[in-house]
Amino acid sequence: MVLQQAFHSDPARWLAREQPDEPVFFFDPRRLHAAAREFIDGFPGEVTYAVKANPDPSVIEGLVAAGMQAFDVASPDEMALVRSVAPKARLHYHNPVRSRAEIAAARAFGITSWSVDRMAELDKLGPIEGVEIAVRLKLPVAGAVYDFGSKFGASPDAAEALLRAVAARGGLPSMTFHPGTQCRSGAAWAAYIRACGEIAARAGVTLHRLNVGGGFPAFREAPAPDLPALFETIRHAADEAFDGTPPALVCEPGRAMVAEAFELGLQVKARDGDAIFLNDGIYGGLSEWRDLGPSTRITALATDGTPLRGEIRATAVFGPTCDSLDRLSDRVDLPCDLAEGDFLLFQACGAYSTALVTRFNGYGVRRIVTLMR
């Protein structure tokens, strides 16, 4: 990525002035700061940012400036990135399967919390006396766009055995889970938290902490997510599951933390009836459309930056590559007067966009313009 100079305006004015032929991300530090503060001030515990969602250094710097002191990291590269910006930040290494080389590298960085979901990975860590080990649980819980339990997580019985093993080896037993992606209801968290309370009780272990994972939704379509309601559901469920004395809580938001901080400006390369071709697609900044489906938060702009007001029609939207799979997953409602040279501004594009951009066919957004509004 290339971080452009700050431009004191809005994306529409910038697009009208520059008429870029290539796709452009617009980064708004104020929105990032506001999202960080909503979590830090509202969540009833420690907030750790899941670096995988957007590892751009400007994002890490902005979160640190907003008061973020802990980060969820999945690899030594992410550890090095965080340490380069925040040398004293707490690192939670909750990718539960690691090579021995990764374990050695992580120890050198200094890890606050490790997660495991199988006995072999606990054994691989070696001595753990005084070290926080979070046992990752998986359950068949509905409520997410897609399930994280198909790859990681221990069954309730296996989690119980792991908790006992952590305690027997002198570790600080914690639990963690991930309810899935884009969870709009707190029911998934409540179900997991109840299960964690039951498993810890059966294991005869007092949990050091309970990490309730990520899954907090970004605003892709109306209505906007109610994060305070989710926070309250989590707090209440923890109180109930642990008889009024819950362990300290932790969360690891990714998408919900950074989605609003980036918008993606694209140009229409061509129009053919009810189909348009853009200068970026699912191999670039719109990769999320493959998994999460369509977002309604799109603004159509004429070449002079003014909003288009034509009749809304279902439109097939293709990306720029030669791959026929490079199209948005559903027909998108767009103005009928959208024409070659006009622009589309996709909002809430800060998560898993810059991180997943490829250079397939020589395309892919590389430019970031920082807004100072």
Side-chain angles (χ1 to χ4, degrees), residues 145-146 181-182 220 255 282 286-294 329 352 356:
V145 173
Y146 59 86
T181 293
Q182 283 290 105
R220 291 179 58 82
R255 175 178 288 107
I282 66 168
L286 294 175
S287 59
E288 284 267 90
W289 284 68
R290 290 173 296 184
D291 302 315
L292 300 188
S329 54
Y352 303 99
L356 296 179

Coordinates of all heavy atoms in Angstrom, one line a residue, residues 145-146 181-182 220 255 282 286-294 329 352 356:
V145 N -22.7 -15.1 10.1 CA -22.8 -15.3 8.7 C -22.1 -16.5 8.3 O -22.5 -17.3 7.4 CB -22.1 -14.0 8.0 CG1 -22.0 -14.3 6.5 CG2 -23.0 -12.8 8.2
Y146 N -20.9 -16.8 8.9 CA -20.3 -18.1 8.7 C -19.6 -18.5 10.0 O -19.2 -17.7 10.8 CB -19.3 -18.2 7.5 CG -18.2 -17.2 7.5 CD1 -17.0 -17.5 8.2 CD2 -18.3 -16.0 6.8 CE1 -15.9 -16.6 8.1 CE2 -17.2 -15.1 6.8 CZ -16.0 -15.4 7.4 OH -15.0 -14.6 7.4
T181 N -18.9 -14.7 12.4 CA -18.8 -13.4 11.8 C -20.1 -12.7 11.7 O -21.1 -13.3 11.4 CB -18.1 -13.6 10.4 OG1 -16.8 -14.0 10.6 CG2 -18.1 -12.3 9.6
Q182 N -20.1 -11.3 11.9 CA -21.3 -10.5 11.7 C -22.4 -11.0 12.6 O -23.6 -11.2 12.1 CB -21.7 -10.4 10.3 CG -20.8 -9.5 9.4 CD -21.0 -8.0 9.7 OE1 -20.2 -7.4 10.3 NE2 -22.1 -7.5 9.2
R220 N -23.1 -2.9 7.5 CA -23.2 -3.2 6.0 C -24.5 -2.9 5.4 O -24.7 -2.6 4.2 CB -22.8 -4.6 5.7 CG -21.3 -4.9 6.0 CD -21.0 -6.4 5.7 NE -21.3 -6.8 4.3 CZ -20.5 -6.6 3.3 NH1 -19.3 -6.0 3.4 NH2 -20.8 -7.0 2.1
R255 N -13.4 -6.6 12.5 CA -14.2 -6.0 11.5 C -14.9 -4.7 12.0 O -14.9 -3.7 11.4 CB -15.2 -7.0 10.9 CG -16.2 -6.3 9.9 CD -17.2 -7.3 9.3 NE -16.5 -8.2 8.4 CZ -16.2 -9.5 8.6 NH1 -16.5 -10.0 9.8 NH2 -15.5 -10.2 7.7
I282 N -13.5 -8.6 -6.6 CA -13.4 -9.5 -5.5 C -12.0 -9.9 -5.2 O -11.6 -10.4 -4.2 CB -14.3 -10.7 -5.6 CG1 -13.8 -11.6 -6.8 CG2 -15.7 -10.3 -5.8 CD1 -14.5 -12.9 -6.8
L286 N -12.9 -5.5 -2.7 CA -14.3 -6.0 -2.5 C -14.3 -7.5 -2.2 O -15.3 -8.2 -2.5 CB -15.1 -5.7 -3.7 CG -15.4 -4.2 -3.9 CD1 -16.2 -4.0 -5.2 CD2 -16.1 -3.6 -2.8
S287 N -13.2 -8.1 -1.7 CA -13.2 -9.5 -1.4 C -14.3 -10.0 -0.4 O -14.7 -11.1 -0.5 CB -11.8 -9.9 -0.9 OG -11.5 -9.2 0.3
E288 N -14.7 -9.1 0.5 CA -15.7 -9.5 1.4 C -17.0 -9.8 0.8 O -17.8 -10.6 1.4 CB -15.9 -8.3 2.4 CG -14.8 -8.1 3.4 CD -15.1 -8.8 4.7 OE1 -14.7 -10.0 4.8 OE2 -15.7 -8.3 5.6
W289 N -17.3 -9.4 -0.4 CA -18.6 -9.7 -1.0 C -18.8 -11.1 -1.3 O -19.9 -11.6 -1.4 CB -18.8 -8.9 -2.3 CG -19.1 -7.4 -2.1 CD1 -18.3 -6.5 -1.5 CD2 -20.3 -6.7 -2.4 NE1 -18.9 -5.3 -1.5 CE2 -20.1 -5.4 -2.0 CE3 -21.5 -7.1 -2.9 CZ2 -21.2 -4.5 -2.1 CZ3 -22.5 -6.2 -3.1 CH2 -22.3 -4.9 -2.7
R290 N -17.7 -11.9 -1.4 CA -17.8 -13.3 -1.7 C -18.4 -14.1 -0.5 O -19.1 -15.1 -0.7 CB -16.4 -13.9 -2.0 CG -15.8 -13.5 -3.3 CD -14.4 -13.9 -3.4 NE -13.5 -13.3 -2.4 CZ -12.2 -13.5 -2.4 NH1 -11.6 -14.3 -3.2 NH2 -11.5 -12.9 -1.4
D291 N -18.1 -13.6 0.7 CA -18.5 -14.3 1.9 C -19.6 -13.7 2.7 O -20.4 -14.4 3.3 CB -17.3 -14.4 2.9 CG -16.1 -15.1 2.2 OD1 -16.3 -16.1 1.6 OD2 -14.9 -14.6 2.4
L292 N -19.7 -12.4 2.7 CA -20.7 -11.7 3.5 C -21.9 -11.3 2.6 O -23.0 -10.8 3.2 CB -20.1 -10.5 4.2 CG -19.0 -10.7 5.1 CD1 -18.7 -9.4 5.9 CD2 -19.3 -11.8 6.1
G293 N -21.8 -11.3 1.3 CA -22.9 -10.9 0.5 C -23.0 -9.4 0.3 O -22.0 -8.7 0.7
P294 N -24.0 -8.9 -0.3 CA -24.0 -7.5 -0.7 C -24.2 -6.5 0.5 O -24.8 -6.8 1.5 CB -25.3 -7.4 -1.6 CG -26.2 -8.5 -1.1 CD -25.2 -9.6 -0.7
S329 N -21.4 -10.8 -5.6 CA -22.2 -12.0 -5.4 C -23.7 -11.9 -5.8 O -24.3 -12.9 -6.1 CB -22.1 -12.5 -4.0 OG -22.5 -11.4 -3.1
Y352 N -10.7 -6.5 6.2 CA -10.3 -7.6 5.3 C -10.3 -7.1 3.9 O -10.7 -7.8 3.0 CB -11.3 -8.8 5.5 CG -11.3 -9.3 6.9 CD1 -12.3 -8.9 7.8 CD2 -10.2 -10.1 7.4 CE1 -12.2 -9.4 9.1 CE2 -10.2 -10.5 8.7 CZ -11.2 -10.1 9.6 OH -11.1 -10.6 10.9
L356 N -6.5 -8.3 2.1 CA -6.7 -9.4 1.2 C -6.5 -9.0 -0.3 O -6.7 -9.8 -1.2 CB -8.1 -9.9 1.4 CG -8.3 -10.6 2.7 CD1 -9.8 -11.1 2.8 CD2 -7.4 -11.7 3.0

